[in-house]
Amino acid sequence: MTVTGNIILNHQQIQHKTRRIAYQILESNVNEEEIIVAGISKNGFVFAKKIKAELEKITTATITLCEVMINKNEPLQAVTTSLTQEQYINKPLVLIDDVLNSGTTLIYGVKHFLEVPLKNFKTAVLVNRNHKKYPIKADFKGISLSTSIQEHIDVVFEDNQSKAFLI
């Protein structure tokens, strides 16, 4: 996939930030036997898999991966997950996406998980943009950028060639 624009994170930087976020997640869940890593479908899920891999290197806790399907064009439609509610009730959960833009996708993901009692609930993103229309924040973030509404962040995950672009 060819993307043009300014590279804001190269592959090595993405790896470093992924590892740092994994350590932060572990620090906030240090005594847990299982941590649910829930990635928003497409790039958020890819990023969640990368975080899961890093967590498995540094903890003996079970890291359970969950895919969260949200219709980004119509976020009021039902949110679905690859796990049943019983699989994450009363467990710590981290909701992950690649970019926090307006906050729409993340807030609807949060809403879905608030319908179930969780032990601990956090959010993580690789890139946090500082102009949201919803009052949502990322607990763990790789990088924060002040961008204009006209600018776009595109994250491309490829083997040994991952990059984040400002377009």
Side-chain angles (χ1 to χ4, degrees):
M1 176 183 217
T2 304
V3 178
T4 57
N6 295 323
I7 296 174
I8 55 172
L9 292 172
N10 63 31
H11 183 75
Q12 185 176 4
Q13 291 168 319
I14 290 173
Q15 283 183 305
H16 174 74
K17 293 189 183 302
T18 303
R19 190 173 311 115
R20 184 172 55 83
I21 289 170
Y23 273 100
Q24 291 173 317
I25 291 169
L26 182 59
E27 286 170 2
S28 70
N29 295 286
V30 73
N31 295 318
E32 298 298 334
E33 293 178 16
E34 182 180 12
I35 302 168
I36 309 296
V37 176
I40 294 175
S41 194
K42 305 272 195 293
N43 266 3
F45 187 63
V46 173
F47 189 44
K49 286 194 270 189
K50 292 179 178 301
I51 289 174
K52 177 184 188 285
E54 290 298 325
L55 281 166
E56 288 174 336
K57 292 177 188 176
I58 59 175
T59 183
T60 57
T62 300
I63 309 301
T64 303
L65 189 62
C66 174
E67 185 171 10
V68 181
M69 282 71 71
I70 299 174
N71 182 336
K72 293 184 181 192
N73 296 321
E74 295 186 40
L76 290 175
Q77 288 185 350
V79 173
T80 59
T81 62
S82 61
L83 298 179
T84 64
Q85 288 185 350
E86 292 75 29
Q87 291 175 286
Y88 51 80
I89 284 177
N90 295 320
K91 294 180 182 170
L93 186 141
V94 182
L95 182 61
I96 298 172
D97 206 358
D98 61 335
V99 180
L100 175 51
N101 282 310
S102 67
T104 303
T105 304
L106 206 57
I107 199 111
Y108 283 103
V110 167
K111 177 186 176 289
H112 171 80
F113 287 107
L114 288 178
E115 296 173 5
V116 175
L118 297 172
K119 189 170 187 180
N120 184 359
F121 187 35
K122 302 282 185 183
T123 56
V125 297
L126 178 61
V127 181
N128 180 46
R129 295 180 68 188
N130 294 326
H131 60 76
K132 295 173 252 331
K133 69 179 186 180
Y134 290 99
I136 183 109
K137 71 175 184 73
D139 296 296
F140 313 114
K141 49 193 162 277
I143 187 172
S144 289
L145 294 175
S146 293
T147 58
S148 73
I149 298 289
Q150 292 78 27
E151 293 173 309
H152 179 74
I153 304 288
D154 194 11
V155 179
V156 177
F157 289 112
E158 294 177 352
D159 294 337
N160 301 318
Q161 294 297 316
S162 298
K163 292 184 177 93
F165 297 90
L166 175 64
I167 301 170

